[in-house]
Amino acid sequence: MGLWAWPILVQAKIPADQLAKLPPPASRTVDFDKDIRPILEASCVKCHGRGKSKGGFQLDTRETFLKDGDSGPAVKLGDSAGSYLIHLVSGLDEDDIMPQKGSRLTAEQVGLLRAWVDQQLPWTAGVTFAREPHRNLKPHRPELPPASDEARRPLDRLVWDYFRRHGVLPGAPVDDRTFARRVFLDVVGLLPSPEELSGFLADGSPDKRERLVSRLLADTPRYSQHWLTFWNDLLRNDYKGTGYIDGGREQVTQWLYASLKNNRRYDEFVRELVSPGEKGPKGFTKGIVWRGTINASQTPQMQAAQNIAQVFLGVNLKCASCHDSFIDDWQLADAYGMAGIYADDKLDMVQCDKPLGKHAPVKFLFPELGGISDDAPKSERIARLAQLMVDPANGRLPRTIVNRLWARFFGAGLVEPIDVMQNPAWSQDLLDWLAEDLVEHGYDLKRTMELILTSRTYQLPAVNLGDGADKSFVFRGPAVRRLTAEQFRDALGQLTGVWYDRPESGLDSLLLEKSAVAAALPAEAYWIWSDPHAAQAVPPQTVYFRKVFTLAEVPSEAFLVAHADNSFRLWVNGRQARKEGDGSWNETSVVDVRPYLVAGTNTLAVEAVNGGSDPNPAGFLGYLRVGPRPKPGASAADRPMADLGTDATWTTSTNRVEGWQKPEFDASGWGMAQVLGSASMEPWQVADTFVSVAMGRSAVGTVRASLVAADPLAVALGRPNREQVTSSRPSTATTIQMLELTNGGTLAKLIQTGASKLVDAAQPAGVLIGGVFSRGLGRSPTEEEAGLTQSLLGDKPAPDAVEDLLWSVAMLPEFQLIY
């Protein structure tokens, strides 16, 4: 607590005999900078400086120091014995002493303060304890240093100038193999496949690294699925967890994926998150509606203020949401000013859970950029905030995001910690140049990524930062980084061929890229229900559908593409393929059903729910796509004859009978489904989306870790629960991670399954070994490694021996780290 952290209420008259106990004033002339300033900075500034005024007392400047507090003047110039300040710090009254907590001032310190008051309060000119000006707020484009043979690009010219000034001799660029692995993991989150790597290594073009970066950034499916993780952490977006069960939290997944896929302008990205309107991504500013009694600093409005400030402005308001912050200049009124923008009524300020009986005026964190009317309707206040956030005068917005991207690619930010953008950058010119370039080129984040990834700076050898950058940090190149939980799991998928079975509810459609042209479906598909008038309105109810069909063989791929008003669950041959029933009638769901199909007779079973409390439209529209899409111009014989859609041949019932999903169930008493109309019918009109997804191509890759909820392995490796904003994950290994990587059940089962798949492929030991090293490490085994693994596997590899090989490769630093 600061020296005068508690309000000065009443100046009690101190008896003469008590005054006689005051430590005597120092007998010499005091020096403000050497004697007084250290006392004020150590004991007072946190509560009475930086614009704060506990008890009405403020010491930003000499002038504010001399102003009356809530109980009158703190000092009487030339009369230290009669100054209330001296009475408080001397401890003459045990019931009224400062500081209330912590170490009291020594007699020598009190004597220095007495002499200072008696000597008319001398104050060094220009010294202030006022709030520091906001750093990284004003737009500024720096002059570029001259180009050189080693540094031709603007980014490199700035870094090489920094190297020159700090005596750093940069190393030679990393080799092609190291560069390819680094940039693949950074852009799409995956290891380069053996084919991709060999093609890059064989390319003799001088610009092949630039072309590889461009190609990866243009790889929309893989890029988008990888960067979902980055933004899910920042936006507190997840697929399961606190708040989702009771509706106290909303996903922004579909909107986020579309934004990444379309490379949405960053200013528009921010604007929609801050001011989502009725149809926008409301989940971010809604935050989590916690159940039960919570601290006032965690109300939905305060969460909105905290999240917006931290994610987009690099400001941590968590301390200031409870009281004036002790670690920076942000005050309780600042947090409540931002939170009030999202409040339906004026917010009463609460300090450490104690109501103050007043409210803070609505305001932006940087009022110098513009104001927000306290009396404006909520929607107008939010719209005004969004406008201020993306205003070209707000230089903090672009600086915060380019700092996050730099930290992502280099292991440490230009500003550290990355959520404290008030700190100086290790290269202010580099931060400013990247931010202004982003703004000047339409807030195109992919362009900024390309500038960074094609720089010689990014291609420098990796350095070991240990636990991260500290105050003595000097940039020398990218840091050695650990794979994220998602990257590690996906790398295991590439190594073993074992991926997740299916994405979370609502994410099925992310695995298909829509067809560019909506073609006709090979088979008809109609909206169906048990009542022929369901398109107009039927009571809320659950309806059950079945369809039996035959396959000559198990296809290479098979998807059910569906719309349901309101939701559905799916069983294939008695096995549940879609568990969650949540969804929206205008959302195209795609369920991978291939793992459940058999050669011969198959049964689809659908439980469709019409929700709500009043009669409303209901329907189910589905299309089973069997096998890959035929190439243009293919003959009728090449078309997938097993494709089928929902129609009058499906059977239906409104009565749930035990075992109705199973193939052996006798559905002879069920009726036939009622056809409501085509996919384009009112009120749904989903034909274009439905057909383009059904006729689309498979997405690159399979079901990746970014598309599913965290499993024990992901949690152990640092994937957060996303109940709080996570801007960076811990870089040091923990005990739980070491335990999970040595004997964790999730990892053990994954490797066991992968080993069985490799053994089933019946490859010679040499081929199997080469494939594991090539997929996992991007190289062939050394002569020593080949000999050891050959002796381990023998001529006919057994599953347990292959397991040992997979464990050995997956535990190598070469596999787990980005160099």
Side-chain angles (χ1 to χ4, degrees), residues 212-527:
L212 175 60
V213 170
S214 297
R215 188 162 65 250
L216 290 175
L217 288 170
D219 190 343
T220 299
R222 296 198 294 183
Y223 168 88
S224 303
Q225 292 176 33
H226 171 54
W227 284 88
L228 269 176
T229 293
F230 174 83
W231 285 109
N232 280 342
D233 282 4
L234 280 173
L235 302 180
R236 301 202 312 182
N237 182 58
D238 215 332
Y239 314 131
K240 294 180 180 178
T242 304
Y244 288 126
I245 297 174
D246 57 9
R249 191 175 179 188
E250 293 182 21
Q251 287 190 29
V252 297
T253 307
Q254 299 292 331
W255 176 90
L256 177 56
Y257 184 79
S259 297
L260 293 170
K261 179 180 174 182
N262 298 322
N263 193 31
R264 190 188 302 269
R265 286 177 57 116
Y266 184 64
D267 56 342
E268 291 301 321
F269 180 92
V270 173
R271 184 194 296 274
E272 289 191 41
L273 284 167
V274 172
S275 180
E278 287 301 316
K279 298 182 179 181
K282 294 181 289 185
F284 174 62
T285 50
K286 178 180 179 179
I288 300 174
V289 181
W290 298 99
R291 303 175 71 176
T293 302
I294 60 167
N295 186 289
S297 65
Q298 283 300 300
T299 61
Q301 301 89 350
M302 191 60 75
Q303 289 180 53
Q306 293 170 357
N307 297 348
I308 291 169
Q310 182 176 353
V311 174
F312 302 128
L313 301 173
V315 173
N316 192 330
L317 286 182
K318 289 185 173 63
C319 289
S321 300
C322 190
H323 50 73
D324 288 351
S325 177
F326 297 139
I327 60 174
D328 53 39
D329 291 348
W330 296 107
Q331 301 177 25
L332 186 66
D334 297 321
Y336 271 89
M338 277 284 283
I341 297 170
Y342 287 90
D344 294 320
D345 301 305
K346 295 185 184 299
L347 288 179
D348 290 332
M349 293 177 65
V350 178
Q351 178 177 295
C352 298
D353 271 353
K354 295 181 179 179
L356 298 181
K358 59 181 180 180
H359 74 273
V362 167
K363 67 173 182 178
F364 185 44
L365 287 177
F366 306 114
E368 56 265 53
L369 298 181
I372 300 175
S373 174
D374 203 36
D375 298 324
K378 177 181 174 180
S379 60
E380 293 182 15
R381 297 196 304 268
I382 294 174
R384 174 60 175 159
L385 172 62
Q387 183 181 16
L388 291 171
M389 289 288 294
V390 302
D391 191 293
N394 181 9
R396 179 63 72 87
L397 179 73
R399 280 157 182 77
T400 301
I401 186 58
V402 298
N403 189 55
R404 294 195 188 283
L405 294 179
W406 187 276
R408 187 74 168 187
F409 296 139
F410 287 88
L414 293 159
V415 175
E416 282 288 342
I418 56 176
D419 289 330
V420 187
M421 288 298 292
Q422 182 64 14
N423 287 344
W426 56 257
S427 174
Q428 192 64 48
D429 283 350
L430 178 55
L431 176 66
D432 287 340
W433 189 88
L434 284 170
E436 295 307 305
D437 185 83
L438 173 66
V439 175
E440 290 175 11
H441 291 86
Y443 290 90
D444 184 346
L445 290 184
K446 279 192 176 182
R447 183 183 186 280
T448 299
M449 292 181 188
E450 189 165 13
L451 286 174
I452 295 173
L453 298 169
T454 57
S455 69
R456 181 171 175 186
T457 304
Y458 176 77
Q459 300 173 44
L460 290 171
V463 297
N464 190 351
L465 287 186
D467 292 337
D470 56 24
K471 292 183 179 179
S472 62
F473 172 75
V474 174
F475 176 76
R476 300 177 186 277
V480 176
R481 292 167 285 146
R482 294 171 56 205
L483 298 180
T484 65
E486 291 84 354
Q487 286 172 325
F488 182 72
R489 177 59 181 85
D490 288 347
L492 289 174
Q494 293 177 275
L495 179 65
T496 64
V498 180
W499 299 85
Y500 290 96
D501 291 334
R502 55 179 299 276
E504 298 301 322
S505 176
L507 297 179
D508 312 74
S509 60
L510 302 189
L511 293 184
L512 288 186
E513 292 295 300
K514 296 178 181 177
S515 172
V517 179
L521 295 174
E524 297 290 344
Y526 303 95
W527 283 96

Side-chain angles (χ1 to χ4, degrees), residues 143-159:
E143 293 292 329
L144 289 174
S148 66
D149 291 340
E150 291 183 315
R152 294 185 176 87
R153 299 171 184 268
L155 187 156
D156 293 327
R157 290 159 65 178
L158 290 162
V159 173

